[in-house]
Structures are given as C-alpha cells and as structure tokens.
Amino acid sequence: MDAPVLPMPAPLCLVTNKDDVLSLNPVALAVLRSVTQPLVVVAIAGLYRTGKSFLMNQLAQKRTGFPLGPTVRAETKGIWMWCLPHPRQQGVTLVLLDTEGLGDPNKDDDDSDTWIFTLALLLSSTLVYNSIGTIDQQALEQLRLVTELTKHIRVREEDDNPASNFVRVFPSFVWTVRDFTLQLRAGEKTLSEDEYLEQVLQLQTGNGKKAKERNELRRCLRNFFPRRKLFTMERPAAAADLPRLEELREDELQPGFRKQVDAFCRYIWEKAPVKVLPGGHQVTGSALAGLAEKYVAAITSGAVPCVESAVTALARAENSAAVEAAVAEYQRGMEQGLVLPTASRSALVAVHRDCEQRAIALFLSRAFADHERQYHAELVRKLEAAKEEFCRRNEEASEQRCHAVLRELWRDVELRLQNGDYVAPGGAQLFKEDLNRVLEEYKRRPGKGVRAEAVLEAFLREREGLAQVLKATEVQLELAERQREAAAAEAEAAQQAAEARLEEQRRTMEEHQRQLEQQLKEEQRAWLEEQQRVLEHHKKEYEALVQEGFKREAAAMQELITQLQMEKKNREQGTWISSALNFLGSILAPFLPGIAGKALNKLRRM
C-alpha cells in the first residue's frame, strides 16, 4: 500500500514568476515526488484580489495557509502548492494549486497570465475559475484567453486540429462567482446554478464580428470543458470585515455564504477526479513533478507545451523506475521467502512464482505508454537474471552443505585409511561396509539441497585411486558401481532441472501474458468509457447547435460524431489486444529461449 502523504504544514511555491520568467522550486518538487499516492489536483485561477486563496484554504480545511491580503496588491505570485490527505478518499492525496491572479496591472508581460493559466490547466484534474459579480459579457471576456489555448497547448506532436482533442485531456471546470446578487430566474422559471451557466453559454445569433467573437468564446468553453459546474456565493461579510476575512470566526460569516462554500467544498471533495494521463494511468507525485518540469521547460524555451511529448518523456523516467521498483520487490520477496539451500528446485520456484507475480503486477501498475514493450522486456531480463542469481546462490549453498556432510561422514574412513585397517585381512569387506554406511547416511541427511547428487558423484570420482592404494579388486568394483549410480542420479537430476527450467519459462511467459492482457482489457474498458463520454458530449453539443439554429456548425459536429463512432466500433473488436500480446511474445522470446517457439505459435493462434 502507498505510504500516506507526509504532513505539509503550509503551502510551498511550486512555480515562481520572477521578472515574468517561470521556474520551478526544487524544494516543492522534492515534496511532490515524495507523494506516492494518486493525486486529485485542484487548481484555481481568476482575476487578482477576488478571494481565490480563501476558497483554497477552505478546501484545505484550514483558516490560514494560502496568503490573503487586505489591499488591491496581488498576494499570490506564480503557483503555490499544498499537498494534503484527501478528506474523503483513502489512499489519495489532494493537491491544491493556488495561482497568481490574472489581470494584475503591476505585471510587465501580458503573456504571464496566459502561461500561468495554461500550467494550471495542464497540471490539474479540476480547474476552478473564480470571478466576482455575475456572468455577463464582461465576465466572459475575462476568460478570453481560453480562445487562445490552441496557440499555447498541443495534445499531439502532429495535430492539425489541436482543439478537437482538448476534451480528452482538459480538467473538469468549476466556475465560482463571488458576491453574486442576482436571482436565478428566466422569466417565471427558477433556474439552478448549472442551468444559469448553460443559458449564459448559449450561442448568440448574428453574423457580425462581435457576435462571432462572443460565440467563439462560448463555443470554446462548451467544447473544451464538457464537465462544468457553477457555484454562486453571496458576499461573505460586511465590507468593513473583508480585510480580515481569514480572522473571522465561522459564525461571523454570512450564513448563506457559509452554506454555499460548504456545498462547493463537498462537491470538490466528492466529485473532483483523480488526475489521469491519456490512456487512464493515474498520476502520482513523481509524475506530476515530471509533467511540471516538461511544461515549464517548453514554455521557457519558447516552445508550445505538448501533452503527448511530455507524457512520452515522462514515461521513459517513470517506466525505468517501475522496472527498478519491481525488481527490488522481487528480490526483497525472495530474500524473505527463501532459506538456502532449498530442499529442491521446485521449492525455490514456488517462492519465485509468487514474487514474480507481485513484481509484474507492481510494474504494470506503474508503467504506462510502453507501446514498444521495451521496459517490459527489460523487466523480464532483470527478473530472469535475479532468479538465476538466486539459483546460483542456492546451488552454492547446497554444495557447501553437501561437502560439509561428506567431510563429516568420511572422517572415520580417513582415520582407518591412515591406520591401514583396510589393507589388513578382511579390509576390503570392511571398506565396502564403511562406504555403504557413508552413502546411506549421506542420503538420510536432510538439507543438502539441489546439488546433492552432483557433489556425491564428484566426491566418488575423486576417490577412484583408492582401489589401487588398497590393492583390492572388490574395492575397485564397489567404487565403480557406486560412482555409476551417482552419475546416473546426477544425470537424471540434470535432466529434470532442464525440464523444470522449460516449464518455468513457459509459466513466466504465461504470467506476463495473463497480467498484460488484464491490463489491456482494463485500458480498453477505460478508453471505451472515455470515448462514450466524448461522444455523449458531442451529441449534446450537436443538439444544442441544431436548437440554436447553427446548421453549418451542427453538420460539422455530426461528421465528428460519425468519426468517433467508427473509432469506437473498431476498438470494440479488440484485435489490438491480441496484436499487443503477439508483440510481447516476440519481444520476450530472446530472454526465454527454451519456450520461444512454442509460445509464439500459441500466441499466433490467439
């Protein structure tokens, strides 16, 4: 189980914005990398001095934390981070990102707002946009930078229409409107907050430039953020008390405001999703830190951040770490589960299978975007090497034990040889009796391990010369017979070991196939669910366009829906899974040569 997040008493600056140049704080990155749990990442953006930090402190269940200020000067610069145990989900960490306010007149560079907003968007799984007053045209204009995201974000490296893929990678969108005084009504009908938001986002009729610009903004919000939610909040306190908002007791805040903030927090705690990468892989602290590094590096170099290239670069580091973690888990399990020498190879293999199974599961839980199965092959190679090392140590321990037993049992024979007992009358018979006694006792001794026959065969071969020393044909014949028996036993053991190795390799291949197939089926399920979600969103948008009278836009949306339906149908056939398993078999075959042909033939029949 992943370790719980370490206590973080106060936020840390994750992204600094000094002289309009973005950089990452290594201390904050180190804290983030220490979080091994999946992350729910909630970022807040909006105009400066609109109370964003207060809401984030409420989500943290703290009175203070993110700085609040009583003046018109913006308090938050860059992006500040607070990692906390999730108040509702066990085994999940809540990461709060408080961003520098948009529209600060003290900024020298207008691009700074764009890049801060872009980072908040790319790093979060839920983006909260905070504004004041109402959602009128002016409030929408303050979100104008949403229409420019195609200039600042790419989902794929080669993408002629980046906006079409934003829906797959953008976070959920929550709009909080502070100091809201309007009644939520449309004529005689009372509106919910979400209905009010959808009404505001309806496209406007007209062919003029202004109408097109306004509709472009609305269309972007509707298309980029299919999961959207609105919360309206009245003024929290009297104007005179606002400068000391974080000092006010709960009962000094307006009851309606407290209720609205509680509803907002409950929604975030219960509905905000874990951040995932394309393909459904859950993001942990190290992955989020890696993404932040890739995106900030792209921005500071003047490039456009690309999700696909960032994920690919991140996968290299994360997959290498996944291999090392899986091998370490295997070695730890083997060390704890084995007492060397084992009574048989099968005893070692039984522990190996259990440790291998857990190692593969750990690797697959952490690895992602390993399309060429490069890291999977590396895992197999390292696990096989680790297993062979344990086998070598097992054989070495067995040989040491066997030699020790034979030295002990042969001690009396050595004394009699030195005393000349075996050259006296009746000595040959005495030697045969002693030899039989040694061999019988050797067989009875427990704990000799897998090299018992081989060590005995070598031991007897080394004593072939005793027959000449004792000048006894009977001794020579007895030694030769015993040596033949030991050699036959050793040959049989070697044959059984070779067959066992083939069986182990077959089982290893099947275990990798089985677990990968499970993962691929889970990826298939997640992809189909996501595709269905995207389809439903586009169908809803199509119906809205038809109802609003935008026939040309509706026709274009219908073409996109048809294309997505075809992609879904092709994916449902599942042929890509068998292709992936075939490819895995061909990649792993060099590391499991004993069963390569059989395994590949089996895979081709799938």
Side-chain angles (χ1 to χ4, degrees), residues 184 191-198 229-233:
L184 295 177
L191 300 176
S192 68
E193 292 168 314
D194 292 338
E195 287 172 336
Y196 171 63
L197 176 60
E198 295 310 308
K229 180 75 177 173
L230 175 68
F231 288 93
T232 59
M233 301 174 187

Side-chain angles (χ1 to χ4, degrees), residues 3 25 43 73 83 114 219 230 234 249 277 341 365-366 370 387 428 434 437 452 466 471 502 552 558 566 568-569 575:
N25 176 7
R73 182 174 178 82
C83 301
T114 301
R219 190 177 292 113
L230 175 68
E234 64 183 62
R249 300 189 310 271
L277 299 174
S365 72
R366 292 182 52 172
D370 185 20
K387 183 190 77 172
D434 287 347
R437 177 182 54 78
L466 280 178
K471 297 182 174 59
L502 290 178
R552 186 175 62 182
Q558 182 59 56
M566 287 298 297
K568 183 170 181 281
K569 183 178 180 181
T575 55

Side-chain angles (χ1 to χ4, degrees), residues 173-235:
F173 184 76
V174 176
W175 195 331
T176 54
V177 183
R178 306 286 293 278
D179 300 355
F180 188 81
T181 57
L182 295 180
Q183 289 187 336
L184 295 177
R185 301 186 66 84
E188 297 298 318
K189 180 185 177 184
T190 300
L191 300 176
S192 68
E193 292 168 314
D194 292 338
E195 287 172 336
Y196 171 63
L197 176 60
E198 295 310 308
Q199 185 183 77
V200 168
L201 294 181
Q202 285 181 358
L203 301 186
Q204 299 180 351
T205 57
N207 296 317
K209 181 180 178 183
K210 283 289 185 184
K212 289 182 179 178
E213 288 179 352
R214 291 174 176 177
N215 284 341
E216 177 64 17
L217 174 57
R218 287 170 168 81
R219 190 177 292 113
C220 287
L221 288 170
R222 281 162 47 160
N223 289 341
F224 297 171
F225 303 104
R227 291 167 292 187
R228 47 188 182 262
K229 180 75 177 173
L230 175 68
F231 288 93
T232 59
M233 301 174 187
E234 64 183 62
R235 179 168 287 206

Side-chain angles (χ1 to χ4, degrees), residues 364-569:
L364 291 176
S365 72
R366 292 182 52 172
F368 59 94
D370 185 20
H371 305 303
E372 300 300 318
R373 305 300 162 195
Q374 168 189 350
Y375 298 96
H376 205 142
E378 183 181 353
L379 174 70
V380 173
R381 179 180 64 80
K382 290 192 172 184
L383 288 181
E384 281 296 299
K387 183 190 77 172
E388 290 305 314
E389 175 59 18
F390 277 105
C391 289
R392 186 198 64 77
R393 286 171 51 189
N394 191 40
E395 291 180 355
E396 185 178 83
S398 173
E399 289 177 0
Q400 291 175 353
R401 169 64 177 161
C402 292
H403 284 306
V405 170
L406 286 171
R407 280 196 302 271
E408 176 193 341
L409 297 177
W410 196 254
R411 192 174 297 122
D412 289 343
V413 177
E414 283 289 347
L415 288 175
R416 288 189 169 183
L417 283 169
Q418 292 171 10
N419 294 334
D421 294 349
Y422 298 133
V423 296
Q429 181 61 32
L430 179 60
F431 178 80
K432 289 169 59 177
E433 292 172 357
D434 287 347
L435 178 61
N436 289 334
R437 177 182 54 78
V438 168
L439 296 181
E440 290 300 319
E441 181 61 24
Y442 178 78
K443 290 179 181 179
R444 283 195 294 268
R445 287 290 179 94
K448 297 188 297 297
V450 296
R451 295 287 291 168
E453 287 79 9
V455 170
L456 178 60
E457 193 273 335
F459 177 83
L460 293 174
R461 191 169 61 251
E462 291 168 0
R463 281 148 184 81
E464 287 178 344
L466 280 178
Q468 295 177 351
V469 173
L470 299 177
K471 297 182 174 59
T473 303
E474 293 178 59
V475 171
Q476 184 178 10
L477 293 174
E478 185 68 20
L479 279 171
E481 178 62 24
R482 294 299 186 177
Q483 186 179 339
R484 279 194 298 272
E485 291 176 358
E490 196 277 332
E492 183 180 357
Q495 176 65 27
Q496 291 175 349
E499 292 173 355
R501 286 190 182 91
L502 290 178
E503 178 64 15
E504 291 158 26
Q505 291 185 356
R506 183 188 65 80
R507 286 179 178 272
T508 289
M509 178 72 87
E510 288 182 349
E511 184 61 28
H512 282 277
Q513 292 170 5
R514 183 186 69 80
Q515 291 203 36
L516 178 62
E517 186 175 14
Q518 284 182 347
Q519 185 194 51
L520 294 177
K521 286 181 177 179
E522 178 59 27
E523 289 179 6
Q524 166 98 329
R525 183 197 61 77
W527 189 92
L528 290 174
E529 283 185 1
E530 173 65 13
Q531 189 79 343
Q532 185 62 34
R533 184 185 68 80
V534 172
L535 270 169
E536 289 173 357
H537 162 64
H538 287 314
K539 288 177 180 178
K540 181 180 177 182
E541 185 63 19
Y542 168 79
E543 292 171 359
L545 289 170
V546 170
Q547 186 175 358
E548 293 163 358
F550 291 86
K551 296 181 179 179
R552 186 175 62 182
E553 289 82 354
M557 184 61 67
Q558 182 59 56
E559 288 183 11
L560 179 58
I561 290 170
T562 301
Q563 177 186 340
L564 293 173
Q565 287 173 330
M566 287 298 297
E567 291 176 0
K568 183 170 181 281
K569 183 178 180 181

